Amino acid sequence: MRWQKIEVASSKSYPICLGASLEELGQYLEQRVETNAHIIVISNPVVSEYYAEKVMSGLTNFQADQIIVPAGEEEKSLQRLEWITGEALKLGADRKTLVLALGGGVIGDLAGFFASIFMRGIRLIQIPTTLLAQVDSSIGGKVAVNHPGGKNLIGAFYPPLAVWTDFSTLQTLPWKEVLDGLAETIKHALIADRELFEFIQSHQKQIIERDTATFKEMTSRSLMVKVRIVSEDEKEEGKRMLLNFGHSFGHALETELAYRGITHGQGVSIGMVAAANLAKARGIISSAEVDKLINLLESFGLPTSIDKDKDHQKLVTNMQADKKNRGGQKILILPKGLGQAVICKDCSDEEIVEAWMAITK
Amino acid sequence: MRWQKIEVASSKSYPICLGASLEELGQYLEQRVETNAHIIVISNPVVSEYYAEKVMSGLTNFQADQIIVPAGEEEKSLQRLEWITGEALKLGADRKTLVLALGGGVIGDLAGFFASIFMRGIRLIQIPTTLLAQVDSSIGGKVAVNHPGGKNLIGAFYPPLAVWTDFSTLQTLPWKEVLDGLAETIKHALIADRELFEFIQSHQKQIIERDTATFKEMTSRSLMVKVRIVSEDEKEEGKRMLLNFGHSFGHALETELAYRGITHGQGVSIGMVAAANLAKARGIISSAEVDKLINLLESFGLPTSIDKDKDHQKLVTNMQADKKNRGGQKILILPKGLGQAVICKDCSDEEIVEAWMAITK
């Protein structure tokens, strides 16, 4: 096996195994998990059709079962969790069962949260198959389901045994989903890795063509930003908040649209530009740098503005409900040039409205 | 404030504060929690009527709200958890909200599990008001809800900030519930504290009359057994399994009766006698000692035998489903005389059937 191993420091540290194939996971497990262990692969119908067989083919020395969950964000619910628990029990799951979460962010969150609370916690390996999951959601141990009152309101910090990342899964990903991951990748570049920003700028064509080597380089660098940040701040008490760049504005817009007609990547893209405009008004990023960000996002087809019909005051109110705010206080992340960011706790509602206005077309 | 503080060692250690009043909790919090913090007291209608006002009267320097959940084991469900989440959001709960779980084992489990997963975990204080909760369920950080497939199948290890134990709440407790706690107290005595066993033997009259000093002494000693054991083994990987004494047999019986017509205390009482008979057959406890156990349980009105109509083989099958068994293996706790216990991993089904037969009347 030729693969790279990156250690994530946390309350329970774990490796991210990069660049090996899905088929090779079984070999990795044979050295770490007891023979004949019970394994449950959890995925959705699409991912299962593409990849479950590849994973299962490596698990011949284990008792491997599958649970297939319908696709979609709405499956991240307590109802679906109760159903998965029932299915797992039918398959004879006990405290020694190992869960493999095979899929994108939804599966990672749902199967990960299931593993965290089934019999008070069983073993988990994340196998992210989307760009978004590989660079972002599979790293850092956050798992959750949604509540009618908001997204990811019910969850846990649950570090997996390992994250198993096979870049080849990105080749089958719909472009819309590539964009979701690309928005987070550009976010990582902007808050912590200027060189990555420049790499993406100079490889636009290769990215659009999904050149394997370019994807591998970009994905590895991007996930390293997240690894560095969560290793320093597992429980989101300080530096980890930087990862929220673009998300306070983005979530407000997604909430406004009730998550319809806007992807997460689109929300983050617009949110980053809004936050960058606030930073520009404060003089910590130049006009030219904001333009570079806008140009880069637009070159991939990511949106950077909102329609005139949006109620700016309502968007500000939506930002109030963000669970990252503490004791009513609004916390925003602002870019400081390209490649750095700061936590801002004193942004006024007026500044925020101005930022929304600056991106209204 | 005159109270005793016992430190529980765990991944996050916390104190058990013994012997102070419910009204004094506010004073304790004022030194540890930010002024004006948002607090939600979660209890059921009965406990709330007796005690919520006492707790609330001490919380005048905080924003204190209440959520009242219907009483009963069936409320330990994911549906009720979703409802509590919605109520908490309506009350403006955020990541800095503090949950006070005021009640017995059901409230401790339900409100505790809610605190563990709301926004990936908020602060929690356990305020146990029943004997069972004071000596057992409030200590050790285990929280959970039930699933149609079994009890406590969905949960977490979530150490609270503190456990606040006011012995005066035991005075209003129905005798049936005193018995639930008494069964666990006798269990604690049997597995780890011979002196406590003798104390209970010599204070039967005072216990039945609920003499305050006797209750205080007995409860403190009993909970100390649990504190010592969970401090050594938070995640139930070794010594903590001793606390399961009487429970494998007891749960099998409770399952058989579908949890109707049998209290948990009754199940544990019968289960301890069954396990003691298996231990007697193995020669690690004397016949005279088993008789002492039976006499003590019966003096309080706890049952020690089962009816002829029970199918012993079915009871053995029920024991198979216990989540404490690893990889199909049956693990039993056997008393070694009075005041010690051992973990037994090689008890045969024949021995178990014999133990059931020995207590069939």
Side-chain angles (χ1 to χ4, degrees), chain A residues 5 18 28 40 45 50 66 89 124 136 140 176 185 187 191 203 212 215 253 255 270 298 301 305 348:
Chain A
K5 188 172 153 181
L18 289 181
Y28 174 84
I40 299 181
Y50 277 124
Q66 262 199 81
L89 289 171
L124 167 70
D136 187 6
K176 200 182 63 142
T185 293
K187 179 194 79 178
I191 62 175
H203 289 77
T212 309
F215 256 56
L253 194 60
T255 304
I270 292 168
E298 290 183 348
S305 62
S348 68

Side-chain angles (χ1 to χ4, degrees), chain B residues 291-342:
Chain B
D291 287 344
K292 273 188 193 172
L293 170 64
I294 293 174
N295 288 336
L296 187 61
L297 293 167
E298 290 183 348
S299 73
F300 296 115
L302 281 164
T304 57
S305 61
I306 57 172
D307 292 337
K308 267 197 296 290
D309 63 351
K310 295 287 172 304
D311 179 341
H312 299 134
Q313 205 56 57
K314 216 163 155 197
L315 290 170
V316 174
T317 309
N318 289 348
M319 290 165 81
Q320 202 88 51
D322 197 295
K323 76 172 171 306
K324 297 208 169 69
N325 298 320
R326 310 286 171 94
Q329 186 188 31
K330 229 169 271 168
I331 299 176
L332 291 176
I333 309 304
L334 302 181
K336 195 176 159 189
L338 300 172
Q340 260 190 291
V342 293

Side-chain angles (χ1 to χ4, degrees), chain A residues 31 36 134 153 164 167 201 234 246 272 280 332 336:
Chain A
Q31 287 153 41
N36 213 24
Q134 290 185 355
L153 285 179
W164 191 262
F167 297 122
Q201 271 188 317
E234 184 190 11
M272 288 193 288
K280 187 172 79 178
L332 292 176
K336 195 175 160 189

Side-chain angles (χ1 to χ4, degrees), chain A residues 96-136:
Chain A
K96 301 209 75 145
T97 296
L98 165 66
V99 170
L100 306 186
L102 174 68
V106 169
I107 286 292
D109 261 355
L110 179 61
F113 187 48
F114 164 71
S116 82
I117 62 176
F118 182 70
M119 297 191 177
R120 298 198 181 86
I122 58 175
R123 294 174 294 182
L124 167 70
I125 287 183
Q126 293 280 7
I127 313 175
T129 58
T130 66
L131 183 57
L132 180 62
Q134 290 185 355
V135 302
D136 187 6

Side-chain angles (χ1 to χ4, degrees), chain B residues 50-234:
Chain B
Y50 277 124
Y51 299 118
E53 208 172 302
K54 292 191 180 193
V55 174
M56 298 292 272
S57 73
L59 302 178
T60 47
N61 288 328
F62 302 99
Q63 296 176 51
D65 288 310
Q66 262 199 82
I67 295 177
I68 297 177
V69 177
E73 176 76 25
E74 64 278 14
E75 298 301 325
K76 278 177 54 181
S77 67
L78 288 176
Q79 291 71 34
R80 182 53 68 188
L81 202 74
E82 181 150 292
W83 178 85
I84 294 175
T85 303
E87 295 301 299
L89 290 172
K90 281 185 218 160
L91 295 171
D94 67 12
R95 288 183 176 187
K96 300 209 77 145
T97 296
L98 165 66
V99 170
L100 306 185
L102 174 68
V106 169
I107 286 292
D109 262 355
L110 179 61
F113 187 47
F114 164 71
S116 82
I117 62 176
F118 183 70
M119 296 191 177
R120 298 197 181 88
I122 58 175
R123 293 175 294 182
L124 167 69
I125 287 183
Q126 293 279 7
I127 313 176
T129 59
T130 65
L131 183 58
L132 180 63
Q134 290 186 355
V135 303
D136 187 6
S137 57
S138 71
I139 307 162
K142 279 170 143 192
V143 291
V145 297
N146 302 326
H147 181 274
K151 283 183 77 168
N152 296 328
L153 284 180
I154 296 174
F157 287 96
Y158 198 67
L161 286 190
V163 180
W164 191 262
T165 297
D166 177 349
F167 297 122
S168 74
T169 61
L170 303 180
Q171 295 299 327
T172 61
L173 205 61
W175 179 249
K176 201 182 64 149
E177 290 193 44
V178 172
L179 281 183
D180 283 339
L182 210 48
E184 299 291 346
T185 293
I186 292 170
K187 179 194 79 178
H188 286 162
L190 210 67
I191 63 175
D193 188 347
R194 192 187 174 100
E195 277 180 41
L196 175 57
F197 192 89
E198 286 160 359
F199 179 86
I200 301 170
Q201 270 189 318
S202 59
H203 290 77
Q204 290 175 24
K205 188 168 161 292
Q206 291 92 324
I207 290 168
I208 290 167
E209 289 167 357
R210 300 200 204 190
D211 172 66
T212 309
T214 305
F215 257 56
K216 195 168 166 178
E217 170 75 13
M218 179 183 75
T219 307
S220 306
R221 280 200 83 112
S222 174
L223 71 84
M224 275 310 298
V225 170
K226 177 123 184 208
V227 167
R228 281 198 303 275
I229 290 177
V230 301
S231 292
E232 283 180 43
D233 175 25
E234 184 189 9

